[in-house]
């Protein structure tokens, strides 16, 4: 029997990314949900607000506060509600960068994930992934996700997933699963997406509506594996990146529609002894 592995309590150093500044130092830190302070949540919310993106043209249909062209904002309280509602089953990985000794380490990336049971299997779901735009294309998103493997909550996870409007986030998750973004097992998503989302403890995932040819017989929108989240963010930058993946024939999740996000789900090791049985969502009982 393999002895238990104690998760690191200090900053976790991962391999240096090739384009880091020569004199910079960086570190990754893993925290379980009940160890995350309000101060950390507020800093993560600030990073999100500065880097996530802008509201799209239809954002005004969400509320009077979601104004097209304005930054998508996040508060610490809302972040806690969306990503930390089940702290004992949640992990946060943070990436800190220190460029010079006159300034302390600055938060430049973070990833939240929540774990839950799906039948006889265990799901690890990335609920938020944000990287400062100043350090994009330095493998930070990939390393943030890889760091989850060091925490005991992720021991035994054999399905990982996320919903995101950004192809790079889906690609980073594919690397976590030792897969290729162009060779996703779409049949696995078709069979298990509904059950996985229905068993999630995260309310916005349970409310998400499956869209695309995997789930709709008469779909002609170009979407293949998506969810309609009514999150009308501007897709200019994600669509530019998507076109690059498509030009290299490195994409199989279909088109990105307004108010939608891609749905990426991967089976990973350890593989369960018996096949994963789909769980059908139950209709609410009428009283």
């Amino acid at each position: 029997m393999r002895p238990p592995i104690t998760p690191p309590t200090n900053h976790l150093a991962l391999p240096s990314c090739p384009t880091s500044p020569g004199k910079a130092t960086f570190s990754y830190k893993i925290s379980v949900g009940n160890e995350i302070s309000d101060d950390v949540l507020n800093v993560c919310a600030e990073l999100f607000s500065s880097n996530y993106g802008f509201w799209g043209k239809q954002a005004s249909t969400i509320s009077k506060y979601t104004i097209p062209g304005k930054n998508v904002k996040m508060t610490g309280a809302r972040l806690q509600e969306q990503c930390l509602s089940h702290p004992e089953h949640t992990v946060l990985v943070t990436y800190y960068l220190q460029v010079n000794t006159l300034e302390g380490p600055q938060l430049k990336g973070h990833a939240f994930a929540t774990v839950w049971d799906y039948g006889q299997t265990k799901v690890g779901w990335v609920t938020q992934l944000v990287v400062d735009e100043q350090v994009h294309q330095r493998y930070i998103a990939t390393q943030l996700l890889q760091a989850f493997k060091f925490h005991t909550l992720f021991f035994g996870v054999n399905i990982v997933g996320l919903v995101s409007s950004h192809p790079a986030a889906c690609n980073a998750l594919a690397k976590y699963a030792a897969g290729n973004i162009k060779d996703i097992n779409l049949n696995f998503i078709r069979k298990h997406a509904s059950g996985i989302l229905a068993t999630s403890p995260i309310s916005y995932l349970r409310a998400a509506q499956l869209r695309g040819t995997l789930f709709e017989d008469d779909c002609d929108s170009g979407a293949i594996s998506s969810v309609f989240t009514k999150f009308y963010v501007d897709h200019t930058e994600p669509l530019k990146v998507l076109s690059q993946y498509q030009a290299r024939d490195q994409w199989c999740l279909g088109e990105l529609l307004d108010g939608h996000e891609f749905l990426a789900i991967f089976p990973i090791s350890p593989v369960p002894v018996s096949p994963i049985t789909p769980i059908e969502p139950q209709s609410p009982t009428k009283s």
Side-chain angles (χ1 to χ4, degrees), residues 28-31 91-95 109-112 143-144 147-148:
Y28 291 79
K29 184 177 181 180
I30 307 173
S31 305
V91 181
L92 167 65
V93 179
T94 46
Y95 165 77
H110 70 251
F112 285 86
Q143 293 178 1
L144 283 167
F148 286 129

Side-chain angles (χ1 to χ4, degrees), residues 49-210:
S49 299
S50 300
N51 293 276
Y52 188 81
F54 305 94
W55 287 114
K57 294 180 180 179
Q58 299 184 59
S60 56
T61 62
I62 303 174
S63 80
K64 63 181 181 181
Y65 302 107
T66 52
I67 302 172
K70 297 293 184 180
N71 284 78
V72 180
K73 296 289 187 178
M74 178 66 67
T75 64
R78 185 161 179 78
L79 184 58
Q80 184 171 31
E81 176 187 347
Q82 291 188 351
C83 298
L84 203 58
S85 58
H86 295 75
E88 68 278 10
H89 299 296
T90 300
V91 181
L92 167 65
V93 179
T94 46
Y95 165 77
Y96 293 91
L97 177 67
Q98 184 170 5
V99 178
N100 60 65
T101 57
L102 299 178
E103 297 181 359
Q106 302 294 312
L107 181 69
K108 294 295 183 179
H110 70 251
F112 285 86
T114 297
V115 173
W116 68 85
D117 292 331
Y118 168 61
Q120 300 300 311
T121 60
K122 191 175 181 182
V123 176
W125 198 274
V126 180
T127 53
Q128 191 174 107
L129 175 62
V130 180
V131 176
D132 192 312
E133 62 180 9
Q134 295 180 343
V135 290
H136 277 185
Q137 298 183 336
R138 298 183 184 180
Y139 307 103
I140 294 169
T142 298
Q143 293 178 1
L144 283 167
L145 299 190
Q146 292 291 333
F148 286 129
K149 296 177 180 179
F150 287 82
H151 199 279
T152 52
L153 269 179
F154 267 73
F155 295 170
V157 163
N158 35 35
I159 300 174
V160 292
L162 59 70
V163 292
S164 175
S165 60
H166 208 295
C170 301
N171 189 44
L173 190 67
K175 293 177 182 177
Y176 180 102
N180 191 308
I181 195 65
K182 73 172 183 177
D183 296 322
I184 294 178
N185 186 341
L186 296 178
N187 190 51
F188 184 86
I189 299 177
R190 185 200 313 271
K191 289 174 61 177
H192 295 285
S194 181
I196 288 172
L197 297 185
T199 56
S200 171
I202 303 165
S203 58
Y204 77 84
L205 289 178
R206 293 196 305 272
Q209 303 173 41
L210 295 171

